[in-house]
Amino acid sequence: MWGSGLVLAGAISILLVVSVALAVAYPNLPDISDLSDYRPKLPMRVYSADGVVIGEFGEERRSLTPIRDIPQVMKNAVLAIEDARFFSHGGVDYLGVIRAGLANLGRAKSQGASTITMQVARNVYLSAEKSYTRKIYEILLTFKLEHLLSKDQILEIYMNQIFLGNRAYGFAAASEAYFGKPLKDISIAEAAMLAGLPKAPSTYNPIVNPKRARSRQLYIIERMEENGFITSAEALAAKAEELKVRTGPNAGRVHAEYVAETVRQLVFNQYGEQTYTRGLNVYTTLQSGDQVVAYKALRKGIMDYERRQIYRGPERFVDLPANPEGAEEAVDEALSDSPDNGDVMSAVVLEASPKRILAMRANSESVEITGDGLKPAQSGLADKAAPNIKLRRGAVIRVAKTVKGNWEITQLPEVEGAFVALDPRDGAIRALVGGFDFEKNKFNHVTQAWRQPGSSFKPFIYSAALEKGFTPATVINDAPLFFDAGVTGGQPWEPKNYDGNFEGPMSLRNGLKKSKNMISIRILQAVGTGYAQAWLARFGFEPEKHPAYLTMALGAGSVTPIQMATAYSVFANGGYRINPYLITKITDQRGKVLLETRATVLEESARGIEPRNAFIMNNLLQEVTRSGTAAKAQATLKRPDLYGKTGTTNDSIDTWFVGYQPTLTAAVWMGYDTPKKLGDRETGGGLSLPIWIDYMSHALKGVPVAEQAVPAGVVNMGGEWYYDEYAKGAGVSAVGLQDRPPPPGTGGDPAQPGATTGPISVLPPVDEKKRILDLFKN
């Protein structure tokens, strides 16, 4: 009797203690009302104009998916392994709670009985601490969640909130991360693999631990069958299905890292830290197809140049054990620190001789290089090769596949490049590649690299000359020029043509077509450096970056590739200034438009040059691509509506090609970040032009040939175009036919070809004599 009383008293005491604890704890529970309108941290996603994801920025990779859009197979797989009675219990599995308490008391590692509701309470509001206090709070929160939310709401939160490894939060993001496909398209086998991740994302990661992930997947398929979610036949088929797990970057993805980073910076300036959590969707002008081609074209152009360079040797050397198993492990470990760079892949040499290299890639893939594939690294195979260049066992090298499918040895390039294409009619950027590889060098050469443009700058001097009375038929003397120290105020200056030859009197048209430096200098002398400098602003250039010296005629100022594409677009669109733009629209996670960009409208307020100036310049630049330094353009693309100009700087430090078709302008630059010679025979026509052609061959497919309308104010006489007011003197005017150029300071009527406009600055003063070293060739 006394015993029963003591037991009853004890039970009442425990209930009182628990009641008091609950009464104290319940008011301290977090407010969960916001879960009724669940809004997790969502990354910013950047899209191309045709809806392809080209970038994602955020603390958590997540794609918020409503419960109605989550496929039943995914829900079934999760319920089978995590909480088969989810829709029938009240939120707590009491036997599981007791089991968890005993495990915690015995300091066991596994407790394993939390329901889905309990996991939501823990993951959203509580820490991962394992204690009785936290367990009490977890149970109380579970009751509160079950009271406030429906089962579907709780399941939706769970399937979007749970961390599943590989930076993926929620099953939609995990499906993309592990299988590269949307959640709606997954199979039973794939769903089972993903459902195994919540318990231990790293342990059951199919990329890192495929064997453990496979074992858990099979168990979950069995659980799905036991719970009646799938049939026996479906279970057998799922177990036999071979999964294609993403083991690296998606080979089919659009490489637009420089674009995505530019967008991130622009959006961050507007929204601050909310950029990474608000679920913003940013839509750009980029065309994914154009971007893919631009990326490949620039990399191909750079690698074609790299094949002509001296082999710099292996990236490093590693010790390889003699036994095959140990060697394979050592190779995998070495290559984890030297990952593939797109189609420039890494490998470790196993055997090397002058006639054959045997190497191994990750996952024991064998690579044999023979014949022409060895040519790029002949210096490393020579008997007397320096130790740091010598190809031998353990050398970490780069390999690539040739057009014929054979292996060849190569190396990561040191040279850089830039490509940008835009629509000259409104400024929309169609493609942008800021360098060879974003991970290797995040400096965006399209927008950040200030380089000297060389002869690709000459068209703007010629454009100014048209307003000073020059015509395409004006005869100018391609003869030597010399300015002594008395004229320059410093060192004597004797500019040269690229090929060192002088051809005597020739038309302005031929001078541009052949990119003759003497012609450009004499034109600038006649036009006046001050006038020409001011004229540049009409194309969007910053005049102060182009000092008013005669070296301006040879492109000795500073420009960026995006500036050059924008400036040439003024010719392409008939004389209008445009502003290049990238973002068309920003929406929130629900699709509400937060910002929308209006494209440039070609109206008179945006006019930079007169239509007749643009028309004649187009005619001159068309000649360059037909029979001049860029003749390969029309010859390859088989269309006449192409216009542009090559550029190569002194000592071939920079190479350019900027050109357009009336619907598309593109600029290509190549050079080293720390300026140095590309090579004596490297030119804009040889390096940059092929990249432009590769891109245009795709971008202009299906685009009809455009014919220029003849604007008012021009007339054609004898097959040449002239301004109306200069037509009467067609073919008569001449510049620089005397033995020496007109001396600086000669006055004259600025409307007459050959006259100057006041004092002419030939070269920079002595304190800027470094610019003398930057004179350009072609």
Side-chain angles (χ1 to χ4, degrees), residues 255-316:
H255 282 280
E257 294 87 349
Y258 290 98
V259 175
E261 173 58 19
T262 299
V263 169
R264 184 198 68 79
Q265 293 175 20
L266 292 171
V267 175
F268 185 83
N269 289 338
Q270 179 75 21
Y271 296 100
E273 291 299 329
Q274 288 188 1
T275 298
Y276 310 121
T277 60
R278 193 173 170 181
L280 299 175
N281 296 306
V282 185
Y283 298 90
T284 69
T285 59
L286 209 72
Q287 294 290 334
S288 63
D290 283 13
Q291 180 66 23
V292 168
V293 172
Y295 174 81
K296 291 181 178 178
L298 182 65
R299 284 178 66 94
K300 179 180 181 297
I302 290 175
M303 290 308 298
D304 285 347
Y305 167 79
E306 191 60 43
R307 289 185 183 92
R308 299 193 292 272
Q309 307 313 301
I310 295 173
Y311 187 59
R312 296 183 293 275
E315 294 182 7
R316 57 197 177 95

Side-chain angles (χ1 to χ4, degrees), residues 320-638:
L320 296 182
N323 63 304
E325 294 81 6
E328 288 180 11
E329 290 183 9
V331 167
D332 286 343
E333 184 177 346
L335 298 186
S336 66
D337 296 327
S338 301
D340 291 347
N341 187 301
D343 51 2
V344 183
M345 296 168 275
S346 54
V348 178
V349 174
L350 301 180
E351 301 173 15
S353 72
K355 293 186 177 181
R356 176 177 176 266
I357 288 178
L358 181 65
M360 181 181 290
R361 290 194 11 85
N363 299 319
S364 305
E365 180 185 359
S366 181
V367 173
E368 185 178 32
I369 308 170
T370 59
D372 290 344
L374 297 172
K375 285 184 178 179
Q378 281 298 316
S379 60
L381 293 169
D383 292 337
K384 296 182 179 180
N388 62 317
I389 295 176
K390 182 72 173 177
L391 285 163
R392 60 182 185 273
R393 181 177 173 83
V396 178
I397 61 171
R398 294 285 167 170
V399 296
K401 281 288 185 74
T402 65
V403 176
K404 295 181 179 179
N406 300 320
W407 288 104
E408 70 173 354
I409 191 167
T410 186
Q411 56 192 344
L412 283 173
E414 292 182 342
V415 73
E416 274 293 354
F419 180 95
V420 61
L422 53 84
D423 189 327
R425 298 165 296 184
D426 62 7
I429 294 173
R430 294 264 299 268
L432 187 155
V433 188
F436 180 78
D437 179 68
F438 182 76
E439 295 303 320
K440 176 173 170 277
N441 185 349
K442 293 179 171 58
F443 184 77
N444 189 338
H445 298 84
V446 168
T447 60
Q448 296 176 291
W450 289 92
R451 307 293 293 215
Q452 294 178 320
S455 292
S456 64
F457 199 71
K458 289 176 181 176
F460 307 108
I461 306 300
Y462 280 60
S463 172
L466 294 179
E467 300 303 310
K468 288 294 186 179
F470 281 77
T471 75
T474 299
V475 177
I476 307 162
N477 196 12
D478 178 32
L481 283 168
F482 177 79
F483 302 93
D484 60 30
V487 175
T488 65
Q491 296 180 4
W493 182 42
E494 188 174 10
K496 303 287 185 183
N497 284 323
Y498 170 69
D499 57 8
N501 298 321
F502 302 97
E503 297 184 34
M506 67 173 59
S507 68
L508 179 145
R509 174 181 293 277
N510 284 332
L512 183 62
K513 179 180 79 173
K514 296 182 177 182
S515 199
K516 291 290 187 176
N517 288 341
M518 302 304 105
I519 303 294
S520 297
I521 294 171
R522 283 194 162 96
I523 289 174
L524 184 55
Q525 275 188 307
V527 169
T529 55
Y531 178 85
Q533 183 191 43
W535 186 257
L536 298 178
R538 294 171 178 265
F539 299 90
F541 291 116
E542 301 170 43
E544 64 273 14
K545 289 191 176 291
H546 303 273
Y549 307 119
L550 286 183
T551 50
M552 180 168 57
L554 309 181
S558 297
V559 298
T560 63
I562 189 70
Q563 276 191 337
M564 292 295 281
T566 304
Y568 269 70
S569 292
V570 177
F571 295 137
N573 64 31
Y576 297 95
R577 281 276 308 277
I578 59 167
N579 293 314
Y581 72 103
L582 193 55
I583 296 175
T584 58
K585 184 173 64 175
I586 300 177
T587 69
D588 65 13
Q589 66 183 67
R590 300 180 186 278
K592 179 183 176 182
V593 177
L594 304 177
L595 180 147
E596 202 153 10
T597 304
R598 291 184 179 180
T600 301
V601 178
L602 300 184
E603 53 190 13
E604 287 308 305
S605 62
R607 181 163 292 287
I609 60 176
E610 291 301 313
R612 64 179 188 170
N613 187 299
F615 176 81
I616 290 182
M617 286 306 305
N618 286 337
N619 194 261
L620 293 173
L621 291 171
Q622 186 178 37
E623 190 66 36
V624 175
T625 65
R626 188 185 72 83
S627 61
T629 57
K632 188 178 180 181
Q634 288 195 35
T636 303
L637 297 175
K638 308 297 183 186

Side-chain angles (χ1 to χ4, degrees), residues 488-491 763-770 772:
T488 65
Q491 296 180 4
L763 282 175
V766 177
D767 60 345
E768 294 187 31
K769 62 185 179 182
K770 283 187 178 180
I772 297 173

Side-chain angles (χ1 to χ4, degrees), residues 613-755:
N613 187 299
F615 176 81
I616 290 182
M617 286 306 305
N618 286 337
N619 194 261
L620 293 173
L621 291 171
Q622 186 178 37
E623 190 66 36
V624 175
T625 65
R626 188 185 72 83
S627 61
T629 57
K632 188 178 180 181
Q634 288 195 35
T636 303
L637 297 175
K638 308 297 183 186
R639 55 189 303 155
D641 57 340
L642 303 175
Y643 316 80
K645 183 70 184 74
T646 55
T648 310
T649 67
N650 190 53
D651 289 331
S652 297
I653 288 174
D654 299 90
T655 69
W656 292 82
F657 183 76
V658 190
Y660 55 91
Q661 191 269 351
T663 64
L664 191 61
T665 304
V668 184
W669 165 85
M670 274 184 65
Y672 289 96
D673 281 339
T674 301
K676 66 177 183 179
K677 291 178 65 171
L678 288 162
D680 291 335
R681 306 181 74 175
E682 304 294 356
T683 65
L687 287 183
S688 298
L689 177 60
I691 296 169
W692 188 90
I693 291 173
D694 280 354
Y695 171 79
M696 286 294 183
S697 65
H698 161 84
L700 296 180
K701 277 182 180 176
V703 177
V705 172
E707 292 187 12
Q708 287 194 81
V710 181
V714 296
V715 63
N716 190 287
M717 292 182 62
E720 189 57 274
W721 292 99
Y722 304 89
Y723 282 7
D724 279 346
E725 59 268 36
Y726 303 135
K728 291 181 180 180
V732 177
S733 57
V735 175
L737 297 187
Q738 60 270 59
D739 292 335
R740 300 177 69 83
T746 302
D749 181 357
Q752 296 300 314

